[in-house]
Amino acid sequence: MTATDTYLLLRAFCDELARCGMEQACTAPGSRCTPIVLSLVRDQRIRCWSHIDERCAGFFALGAAKRAGSPVAVTCTSGTAAANLAPAVVEAWHARMPLIVLTADRPPELREVGAGQTIDQLKIYGDAVKWFFEVGVDEATPAALRFIRTLACRAYWTAIAGPPGPVHLNFPLREPLVLDRPLPDDDTGRAGARPYVTFDSGTPGAPTVGAPPSGRIVIVAGSDRDPEAARELARFAARNRIPLLADPLSGARRGDAAIAHYDLLLRDPEFAAAHQPQFVIRTGDLPTSKPMRAWLAGLETAQIAFDPDGVWHDPDAVVGMRIRAPYRALLGEQKLETDDDWFASWKGADDAVAGAITRTLGEAGLSEPLVARSLGEWLPPEAMLYVASSMPIRDVEEFVAAREDGPRVVSNRGANGIDGTVSSAFGARAAARSDGPVVLLIGDVALAHDIGGLLAASRLGLAVTIVLLNNDGGGIFHFLPVGGETDAFEEHVATPHGLDFGRAAALYGCTFVRAKTVDALRSAVDTSITGDATTIIEVRTDREENLALHRRVAEAALTALQPG
Ligand SMILES: Cc1ncc(C[n+]2csc(CCOP(=O)(O)OP(=O)(O)O)c2C)c(N)n1
Ligand SMILES: [Mg+2]
């Protein structure tokens, strides 16, 4: 086996990935991965994004896959490099994102004999991948070339076919790792630009489930990958006058039926008790809101969950029917018999709470909830709002108002980690080409965690607008019982760090602005999203005050819901 064999096989492999439709790949440097990196880079159809840190590379690929809606490859060298992809692989598994992970490895004769940078990479990501395959080291015979072509297609289609997810191919590579002569032609590909294997996952037929729902129906829409289906769902709910409790991650918080403030509404025990539906339709993942989860868990009514991926989100075991199809397969064109008073009551309450939010936040100056609410209101429809875990995603769910043409909201909520978020936002920017800015809303601990992700700004020439909520620590923990454990809370839970992010911005060649007022924030955001520099817009907040403000809003919402 020669370098020519290695490169012939890998060129055919990359050729097939590109024929299937793969447009982006992420690389990280190393020696053993040289043949994979060079083969990806030399394929003109694949845009390769170079990274220093594999953890960043993985999360960048994830963000790119999220934006593109198609598989993105990521490759790295052997050893701990491969282990550094694990967080992104786990997130991709839970978020059902198509990643094609290509790790380089030593050939069998160099394993477990003290060769450098060699660890056991077989099934290193465990059950967090849809498919693992150890790619044999081989001569580039026509049969081997045909095989590797089918392998690439299989990896691609496995990653994308429902439910999507990561696949892992481990490539043992023998030295020499670079070519010493030009590569001969290879005519084993199909004629034209066709992939070696095309794939049809089959379209499921419309399910049948007895009589259509009627009366007091609610729809609960959670995170979804299909923005067009979300818009249709919003239209369906509006047409039928069904309250649509839509997480911003669903893409359905729009139209006349959207109930944006269900989190605050359902905190009111009287409201929750008085608004018991006869039928619950759930779509997508379960929203984060605790009051909503508790309310759903306590209902005695029929709950039906639609999910084309067959995802099983039901921690309280109350869903009685699951339909592995989009909601429209069953309900799309129907006109349902619904209850108008029921709809009006939800809408009236939602409006009342919206008023309470606006008033209370208006009295408080620039705050974390106001930043979340304002971004939802200001950003243009073509923007993507990438929201970090912790309070940012909760504030977006709780405070962003319904808007017909709001930005697309995404988040790494597969495993709810605070890691890799900066890299994912840059990946989304990379996959966006010309269609709209990416704005990242992130806390200080999450930014510190993936500070290296900022390198993508200068190295890869990508611009993201980063709105940083800096409360010097994990503000979320003040909302939890651990907030009372004063002996260890600050140092070991809240973890204040005192970082000056202006210096980080300087190190990574980003612009840094501090916004102290709503107007200053708006003008900084506007300037940044229309410019071509990555800007960190810092809003300084206080964790205790943030807790108090959230409580004031909840009280104001309760008061607004009182009759008379
Ligand atoms: C990788 C990872 N480590 C730890 C956690 C636990 N965790 C959840 S929120 C949080 C603090 C986040 O702080 P920050 O980003 O500043 O947001 P804030 O809570 O202030 O809104 C931590 C450490 C996590 N979710 N993921
Ligand atoms: Mg914080």
Side-chain angles (χ1 to χ4, degrees):
M1 202 205 143
T2 63
T4 301
D5 289 310
T6 303
Y7 277 83
L8 270 173
L9 289 166
L10 283 170
R11 186 179 63 184
F13 183 85
C14 296
D15 177 41
E16 290 299 330
L17 289 179
R19 285 171 185 242
C20 286
M22 197 188 78
E23 294 177 340
Q24 330 241 9
C26 293
T27 68
S31 166
R32 191 60 51 172
C33 59
T34 301
I36 306 178
V37 171
L38 294 188
S39 302
L40 283 167
V41 168
R42 287 173 184 166
D43 192 305
Q44 300 298 316
R45 294 158 293 179
I46 302 172
R47 174 72 167 96
C48 288
W49 303 95
S50 152
H51 294 268
I52 286 177
D53 177 334
E54 291 80 12
R55 196 171 67 165
C56 294
F59 277 106
F60 186 102
L62 178 92
K66 202 163 271 213
R67 181 87 187 218
S70 53
V72 175
V74 54
T75 187
C76 70
T77 197
S78 62
T80 53
N84 271 284
L85 290 178
V89 171
V90 170
E91 171 61 26
W93 167 257
H94 288 278
R96 302 184 299 290
M97 284 297 137
L99 287 192
I100 299 177
V101 179
L102 311 171
T103 52
D105 201 349
R106 308 270 153 163
E109 65 274 16
L110 290 180
R111 295 185 188 170
E112 300 195 30
V113 290
Q117 223 173 302
T118 312
I119 64 169
D120 183 359
Q121 295 179 193
L122 303 184
K123 301 202 170 177
I124 190 171
Y125 309 115
D127 285 344
V129 288
K130 291 180 72 182
W131 187 44
F132 167 78
F133 195 80
E134 167 82 347
V135 187
V137 270
D138 222 332
E139 285 176 24
T141 60
L145 283 162
R146 282 197 300 276
F147 159 70
I148 202 116
R149 286 182 181 278
T150 62
L151 189 71
C153 296
R154 189 166 172 190
Y156 187 93
W157 300 126
T158 303
I160 189 103
V167 297
H168 175 206
L169 279 68
N170 192 50
F171 289 80
L173 295 164
R174 278 204 186 100
E175 293 180 10
L177 298 169
V178 288
L179 284 168
D180 56 1
R181 67 197 68 174
L183 265 192
D185 289 341
D186 159 21
D187 59 6
T188 56
R190 302 271 185 217
R194 268 189 307 138
Y196 206 85
V197 185
T198 50
F199 184 77
D200 181 356
S201 61
T203 338
T208 43
V209 283
S214 62
R216 301 193 309 273
I217 310 171
V218 289
I219 301 175
V220 172
S223 177
D224 213 313
R225 287 179 293 108
D226 183 350
E228 192 37 50
R231 274 188 281 275
E232 268 182 42
L233 180 64
R235 287 195 291 269
F236 168 79
R239 210 168 48 240
N240 284 289
R241 299 179 69 73
I242 301 172
L244 170 59
L245 283 50
D247 185 336
L249 295 172
S250 71
R253 192 176 278 189
R254 59 180 77 237
D256 291 341
I259 302 295
H261 303 306
Y262 54 79
D263 181 90
L264 285 163
L265 290 173
L266 295 171
R267 273 182 219 203
D268 176 357
E270 282 171 31
F271 180 91
H275 288 78
Q276 301 263 326
Q278 291 168 310
F279 205 93
V280 179
I281 297 170
R282 298 196 194 182
T283 67
D285 296 355
L286 197 55
T288 302
S289 162
K290 270 194 189 159
M292 138 105 72
R293 287 179 172 221
W295 179 72
L296 287 173
L299 295 177
E300 303 272 319
T301 38
Q303 301 199 32
I304 175 168
F306 289 91
D307 195 307
D309 295 338
V311 168
W312 201 283
H313 273 210
D314 185 21
D316 299 295
V318 287
V319 170
M321 175 175 282
R322 312 202 140 265
I323 298 184
R324 195 172 183 150
Y327 92 93
R328 60 174 170 248
L330 183 67
L331 299 168
E333 299 304 321
Q334 297 201 36
K335 178 80 186 92
L336 304 180
E337 290 299 321
T338 53
D339 182 332
D340 234 31
D341 293 342
W342 163 257
F343 181 71
S345 171
W346 275 94
K347 284 301 288 179
D350 197 40
D351 290 346
V353 168
I357 293 173
T358 305
R359 277 193 305 280
T360 316
L361 296 186
E363 290 158 7
L366 193 52
S367 63
E368 297 187 25
L370 187 58
V371 172
R373 192 166 173 83
S374 303
L375 291 177
E377 188 185 325
W378 296 337
L379 294 182
E382 68 277 14
M384 177 176 251
L385 178 60
Y386 220 111
V387 187
S389 288
S390 204
M391 288 312 286
I393 192 64
R394 287 176 174 75
D395 283 348
V396 164
E397 184 179 13
E398 190 171 338
F399 297 108
V400 164
R403 185 178 142 198
E404 190 51 47
D405 60 348
R408 180 155 175 222
V409 182
V410 296
S411 185
N412 290 350
R413 292 302 280 170
N416 304 0
I418 56 159
D419 46 347
T421 323
V422 175
S423 300
S424 291
F426 276 100
R429 177 64 257 174
R433 297 203 202 91
S434 60
D435 61 328
V438 173
V439 178
L440 169 64
L441 179 64
I442 190 167
D444 48 289
V445 178
L447 178 57
H449 206 290
D450 192 25
I451 198 81
L454 290 175
L455 192 53
S458 58
R459 272 198 86 233
L460 305 179
L462 295 169
V464 168
T465 297
I466 300 174
V467 178
L468 163 64
L469 297 169
N470 187 359
N471 54 22
D472 197 19
I476 193 170
F477 297 119
H478 290 259
F479 292 77
L480 305 180
V482 71
E485 304 293 314
T486 44
D487 55 334
F489 181 75
E490 272 297 298
E491 183 180 353
H492 294 282
V493 183
T495 61
H497 42 73
L499 286 171
D500 177 351
F501 287 100
R503 293 182 183 217
L507 176 65
Y508 288 104
C510 305
T511 308
F512 182 82
V513 191
R514 188 167 295 143
K516 292 187 175 160
T517 62
V518 186
D519 291 344
L521 176 67
R522 179 154 204 177
S523 99
V525 168
D526 283 348
T527 308
S528 177
I529 62 177
T530 49
D532 53 10
T534 288
T535 309
I536 299 177
I537 305 169
E538 181 184 67
V539 176
R540 285 269 178 100
T541 59
D542 178 277
R543 289 182 263 121
E544 293 286 356
E545 279 173 25
N546 185 46
L547 174 67
L549 177 62
H550 276 81
R551 290 196 173 142
R552 283 209 300 284
V553 175
E555 277 160 25
L558 257 185
T559 311
L561 289 174
Q562 295 311 306

